[in-house]
Amino acid sequence: MKENWIQLIDTIEKDPFETEAFFALMEYVGEASDDDKRRVVQEVERRIKMIARYDADKSFRFRKFSEQEREVLDSLWSTRVKILNVMMLNPTEEEIERLGHQNDKLHELSKDAFAQGRNLWKSLLHSPSLMASEDYYDVEEHVDFSWNDEDSVLKMDNDDYYGSDFEYMLHFHCNFRDSGRYSYEPLVADDGTNWNLDYLDNQAFDKFCICHLMHSLHSHEYYSLPDILRMDDFYVHVWLQYEREVYQWKKGNVFFKEEVNGKGMEKTDR
């Protein structure tokens, strides 16, 4: 059986768009023992490390990957995330408590980001440098996990159960994410909606109202639930952006000026 699942990972690594091998591997994982699940996780992570070739002595960040490498890493990462989520289908009491703690923290960080965003708008509206058109301005809020050092990732009592190198993998994915592989989801204000989707849709978590940011990390930035439970460093980034673009183009002997932010075209002398 080991040869079979090794061959399935071989296929996934060779052809990242080959879904049949992925689903066959997931079927095997669903029926495998805990020891075998760990072996699969560790083999997938071994291959990620082989491709990444990270050297901590040379750089804080990972090297740039080719498009082909990125596709393979994306496929291997998705495989790892899926297996870890399956392994947490029956969470421990510690994991349930930790998920509730993380959910509350992420909810509060989201509220803080929007509060600071409102402060920026208020400051802008009272600024003497305010342009006549507010279309030039935008305030954006963002909250995310940040890998700064080994203390950014918590140790938990059941780390050995998963067999994952969480510290390395979270560091890797932060760099992989920031390189543009995944698009950031806009921060959404919580309004009482329970975002218990995907593997957050678990009876063990019914007592929690899952915030949107927890859902976003899990479903859009592709972190497994065991990954999210071990995150310790988050950052709140709120910024005011001013953008005004002006350029000229010529039609016949007439020059036109177009301001992109909703001004339309105006004939101009030249």
Side-chain angles (χ1 to χ4, degrees), residues 4-61:
N4 289 340
W5 66 257
I6 288 288
Q7 290 172 1
L8 292 173
I9 299 176
D10 288 340
T11 303
I12 292 169
E13 184 175 4
K14 183 178 179 181
D15 183 1
F17 301 103
E18 211 290 317
T19 58
E20 186 174 336
F22 174 81
F23 287 117
L25 181 63
M26 291 306 107
E27 183 178 355
Y28 165 74
V29 167
E31 300 173 355
S33 66
D34 291 343
D35 285 340
D36 287 337
K37 288 184 177 74
R38 274 191 294 275
R39 292 188 186 98
V40 179
V41 169
Q42 290 167 348
E43 176 61 22
V44 171
E45 292 188 356
R46 184 188 70 81
R47 298 184 186 218
I48 290 174
K49 292 177 180 180
M50 288 287 290
I51 298 171
R53 302 197 306 275
Y54 173 64
D55 187 346
D57 294 331
K58 291 184 177 180
S59 174
F60 174 80
R61 302 187 66 83

Side-chain angles (χ1 to χ4, degrees), residues 106-134:
L106 294 171
H107 174 64
E108 289 302 315
L109 291 174
S110 296
K111 287 171 59 178
D112 178 50
F114 283 115
Q116 298 307 319
R118 288 191 295 272
N119 286 340
L120 282 180
W121 274 118
K122 290 176 183 177
S123 299
L124 173 65
L125 293 175
H126 292 90
S127 170
S129 301
L130 178 67
M131 297 289 292
S133 175
E134 293 183 10

Side-chain angles (χ1 to χ4, degrees), residues 22-264:
F22 174 81
F23 287 117
L25 181 63
M26 291 306 107
E27 183 178 355
Y28 165 74
V29 167
E31 300 173 355
S33 66
D34 291 343
D35 285 340
D36 287 337
K37 288 184 177 74
R38 274 191 294 275
R39 292 188 186 98
V40 179
V41 169
Q42 290 167 348
E43 176 61 22
V44 171
E45 292 188 356
R46 184 188 70 81
R47 298 184 186 218
I48 290 174
K49 292 177 180 180
M50 288 287 290
I51 298 171
R53 302 197 306 275
Y54 173 64
D55 187 346
D57 294 331
K58 291 184 177 180
S59 174
F60 174 80
R61 302 187 66 83
F62 284 72
R63 66 182 178 84
K64 292 183 178 180
F65 303 117
S66 69
E67 186 59 29
Q68 182 179 4
E69 288 175 325
R70 288 161 67 88
E71 289 173 354
V72 174
L73 288 168
D74 193 18
S75 181
L76 290 173
W77 177 264
S78 299
T79 302
R80 171 192 176 272
V81 165
K82 182 76 171 180
I83 299 168
L84 291 177
N85 283 329
V86 169
M87 294 180 74
M88 198 178 139
L89 283 174
N90 296 299
T92 65
E93 287 300 319
E94 182 193 16
E95 288 178 321
I96 296 171
E97 181 181 353
R98 178 66 185 166
L99 188 134
H101 172 81
Q102 292 291 69
N103 188 62
D104 290 344
K105 179 194 292 186
L106 294 171
H107 174 64
E108 289 302 315
L109 291 174
S110 296
K111 287 171 59 178
D112 178 50
F114 283 115
Q116 298 307 319
R118 288 191 295 272
N119 286 340
L120 282 180
W121 274 118
K122 290 176 183 177
S123 299
L124 173 65
L125 293 175
H126 292 90
S127 170
S129 301
L130 178 67
M131 297 289 292
S133 175
E134 293 183 10
D135 292 338
Y136 294 136
Y137 300 94
D138 190 24
V139 170
E140 295 190 28
E141 302 91 357
H142 185 67
V143 181
D144 218 324
F145 169 70
S146 175
W147 195 95
N148 300 307
D149 53 37
E150 59 274 8
D151 293 330
S152 300
V153 180
L154 294 176
K155 304 293 185 184
M156 294 185 66
D157 291 343
N158 64 346
D159 281 357
D160 290 342
Y161 164 69
Y162 294 102
S164 173
D165 187 348
F166 286 107
E167 181 187 322
Y168 182 101
M169 288 295 132
L170 286 172
H171 184 195
F172 160 75
H173 192 61
C174 266
N175 278 260
F176 199 53
R177 175 201 67 197
D178 292 345
S179 68
R181 192 62 184 174
Y182 301 106
S183 59
Y184 289 108
E185 281 289 300
L187 193 61
V188 174
D190 289 305
D191 58 2
T193 299
N194 190 357
W195 292 91
N196 57 337
L197 305 175
D198 299 324
Y199 285 91
L200 288 165
D201 184 11
N202 187 320
Q203 189 174 358
F205 309 140
D206 281 352
K207 61 182 177 181
F208 307 125
C209 181
I210 303 299
C211 70
H212 185 271
L213 183 52
M214 171 71 80
H215 153 71
S216 182
L217 286 171
H218 176 51
S219 300
H220 300 292
E221 293 193 34
Y222 301 103
Y223 287 107
S224 72
L225 291 185
D227 289 329
I228 295 172
L229 299 192
R230 288 160 176 80
M231 295 176 178
D232 197 38
D233 290 2
F234 294 91
Y235 69 88
V236 178
H237 187 192
V238 182
W239 65 97
L240 171 66
Q241 180 171 292
Y242 170 77
E243 183 174 327
R244 182 185 181 190
E245 186 174 353
V246 179
Y247 61 89
Q248 291 182 324
W249 60 281
K250 182 179 179 182
K251 184 176 181 180
N253 294 320
V254 180
F255 285 90
F256 288 84
K257 177 179 69 175
E258 181 177 2
E259 295 196 12
V260 172
N261 301 69
K263 286 289 188 178

